[in-house]
Amino acid sequence: RRKLSGPELLCQLKDMVHITTLTPDMEPFAGFPWASQLPPQPLSSDLGPFKTCAVVSSAGSLRNSGLGKEIDSHDAVVRFNAAPTAGFEKDVGSKTTVRLINSQVMASEDHHFLSSSLYSIGTLVAWDPAPYSSDLNEWYNKTDYPIFKQYQRYRRLHPQQPFYILHPSVEWQLWKRIQDNMAEPIQKNPPSSGLLGTVLMMSLCDVVHVYEFLPSRRKTELCHYYQRFSDAACTLGAYHPLLYEKNLVKRMNQGSDRDIYTHGRVTLPGFSTYNC
Ligand code: NCC
């Protein structure tokens, strides 16, 4: 099979990955009283369209990057999981428009998801590694972590904050793009939050800058900019097909290699502005 060019890959993503979220009318949720807690509208009715967006990976190489001002200059900023801004503003900025969280963060005791102020800013979007089928019933009976229980609790405590749940079809549509563009078989685990968030922002923004997803000259084994723990797998992947994700993003990058080297910055077009 022929290797697709960056523009061809971008068009595949635009055509084949649709950002959808759970709505109260979807089965089996429609039959549950708490379905009314789900936003009835698509994400794009609350958010955007934005001109420029920043996707801030949680990589350790953001440390001492001094990218905070540049990141905050975007119209919207997406961050992941438990990544803080307080105390790290110089390197990662302070604006948070969207926080994409995995279900592990929602469920694990040490993240204090229900009470920590970290999660109360901006729009929340949650996701859970669903069975490959993307069948909502199958997923509902077999979530990785108790995403729905925690969602209901959080919504009761913070009813005013916009909070979406990503439809599992998004993970597997994106996974399929990765697999179809790689020569080897890839483990059937969903893409990382970082890639999901990048595609999410490509659906809401004219231009997307992704920071330290492709590591800069600051590349380090430090896992997160906000923790002292080191593991190269955080950057290269273990569970998530991270190395393949990064390969695809590198091919789609419209910025220069120099931008990657100095700023860890990738430039991707938004879907609405990209002509296929
Ligand atoms: O580490 P995590 O991701 O929260 O990071 C968010 C995204 O940033 C990119 N990243 C991160 C570190 C690094 N050195 N290089 C990077 O490129 C990745 O794109 C990553 O997705 C996740 O994807 O949800 C993940 O979540 C953590 C963990 O659940 C949360 O941080 C909460 O503690 C996972 N770690 C474990 O399960 C132990 C991680 O595998 C993926």
Side-chain angles (χ1 to χ4, degrees):
R1 197 171 49 224
R2 188 177 61 88
K3 197 167 163 179
L4 296 188
S5 67
E8 286 171 322
L9 277 173
L10 284 164
C11 287
Q12 276 203 349
L13 279 194
K14 176 175 167 163
D15 292 347
M16 299 159 126
V17 182
H18 300 110
I19 301 297
T20 51
T21 52
L22 299 189
T23 51
D25 57 302
M26 290 177 180
E27 292 296 342
F29 306 101
F32 307 146
W34 64 268
S36 60
Q37 290 182 324
L38 293 167
Q41 319 283 359
L43 200 64
S44 56
S45 69
D46 257 355
L47 276 175
F50 301 110
K51 284 207 193 74
T52 64
C53 295
V55 177
V56 186
S57 87
S58 303
S61 47
L62 274 160
R63 223 173 230 266
N64 301 319
S65 67
L67 286 167
K69 275 213 183 90
E70 172 172 330
I71 289 169
D72 276 350
S73 74
H74 293 79
D75 298 322
V77 177
V78 61
R79 302 181 191 277
F80 300 101
N81 298 320
T85 55
F88 303 95
E89 293 89 348
K90 247 184 116 266
D91 295 330
V92 302
S94 59
K95 184 189 283 191
T96 304
T97 316
V98 178
R99 185 173 290 273
L100 182 62
I101 54 177
N102 67 39
S103 52
Q104 182 185 24
V105 172
M106 296 171 75
S108 93
E109 297 284 325
D110 27 290
H111 287 106
H112 306 286
F113 173 63
L114 297 175
S115 56
S116 166
S117 61
L118 185 62
Y119 304 102
S120 57
I121 298 159
T123 295
L124 287 176
V125 182
W127 72 279
D128 174 76
Y132 183 69
S133 70
S134 303
D135 178 275
L136 291 182
N137 267 298
E138 202 182 311
W139 175 43
Y140 180 75
N141 291 310
K142 203 174 169 267
T143 59
D144 227 23
Y145 289 90
I147 180 172
F148 300 119
K149 191 182 81 191
Q150 290 299 86
Y151 179 80
Q152 291 165 59
R153 287 184 169 159
Y154 191 94
R155 291 290 279 157
R156 258 180 265 131
L157 293 167
H158 308 85
Q160 301 307 328
Q161 190 181 4
F163 191 171
Y164 294 80
I165 299 178
L166 212 56
H167 195 295
S169 62
V170 182
E171 357 179 324
W172 295 116
Q173 285 172 359
L174 188 52
W175 181 89
K176 192 84 171 61
R177 287 309 92 230
I178 304 170
Q179 177 62 91
D180 282 359
N181 286 289
M182 296 297 154
E184 321 133 54
I186 296 169
Q187 71 254 48
K188 259 204 183 102
N189 295 329
S192 72
S193 295
L195 189 68
L196 287 166
T198 299
V199 177
L200 178 80
M201 295 320 266
M202 289 169 85
S203 78
L204 298 172
C205 315
D206 293 349
V207 181
V208 178
H209 287 134
V210 189
Y211 292 94
E212 292 289 2
F213 185 65
L214 302 188
S216 69
R217 62 185 170 193
R218 289 177 298 275
K219 182 174 178 337
T220 165
E221 295 208 341
L222 185 66
C223 183
H224 295 130
Y225 67 83
Y226 55 89
Q227 276 178 335
R228 290 183 57 172
F229 168 71
S230 287
D231 184 354
C234 294
T235 303
L236 304 175
Y239 171 76
H240 298 292
L242 208 49
L243 211 50
Y244 301 103
E245 300 176 17
K246 292 181 185 212
N247 181 303
L248 278 201
V249 168
K250 174 75 173 69
R251 275 155 70 186
M252 294 186 295
N253 179 30
Q254 296 188 323
S256 65
D257 286 350
R258 184 83 204 160
D259 280 356
I260 299 173
Y261 185 66
T262 58
H263 289 72
R265 182 178 64 216
V266 157
T267 305
L268 297 170
F271 294 142
S272 68
T273 54
Y274 199 68
N275 289 322
C276 292

